[in-house]
Amino acid sequence: MHKLRFTWDQKGEVLALGEPPDEVLAHYLSEEVGNDIRHCRRLLDIIRALRGGSHSSWETDGDCWTVRLTRTRAVIESEFEVPGRSRELLLEEFEQLVESWLR
């Protein structure tokens, strides 16, 4: 399981904190998803479509991070050339992570 801690800054923005290798997940959530409830729900819809078999893969480039999803895996990579700034996990784990972030 991934060890992330969710907190809020002085502006009321939610932040995720994590230690390597989970800092990639924390940065993705904080920097790319942020407080955008619609983004979380869209990710969950895409994940469920993949798991249901109606899609085979999905990819998006964001401001800082690229996310590639297949029916079984999620890969999050920095869009900047920083070695080691990627994380691969099971799609089910990514779904749980996004659900936790939404809550």
Side-chain angles (χ1 to χ4, degrees):
M1 191 61 179
H2 306 283
K3 294 184 180 181
L4 295 178
R5 186 170 61 99
F6 301 148
T7 187
W8 290 264
D9 66 11
Q10 293 177 340
K11 296 178 188 177
E13 299 286 322
V14 65
L15 298 172
L17 305 169
E19 295 192 20
D22 291 331
E23 88 284 3
V24 169
L25 303 174
H27 289 287
Y28 167 72
L29 290 171
S30 296
E31 296 168 5
E32 204 69 50
V33 180
N35 285 344
D36 191 342
I37 292 171
R38 289 181 303 164
H39 189 102
C40 283
R41 289 189 176 139
R42 182 168 184 259
L43 277 173
L44 291 171
D45 288 343
I46 291 164
I47 291 166
R48 290 172 184 141
L50 287 165
R51 288 179 54 183
S54 61
H55 297 293
S56 60
S57 65
W58 181 81
E59 181 174 335
T60 185
D61 295 332
D63 293 331
C64 303
W65 299 91
T66 296
V67 176
R68 284 191 306 278
L69 305 175
T70 67
R71 290 182 178 158
T72 59
R73 309 294 290 171
V75 178
I76 301 165
E77 295 179 312
S78 172
E79 292 183 12
F80 304 106
E81 297 295 324
V82 180
R85 299 288 291 176
S86 67
R87 188 76 164 98
E88 184 174 340
L89 56 157
L90 295 173
L91 186 62
E92 183 178 302
E93 293 175 303
F94 186 65
E95 181 179 24
Q96 291 170 357
L97 181 70
V98 174
E99 286 173 343
S100 294
W101 184 251
L102 181 60
R103 282 192 303 272

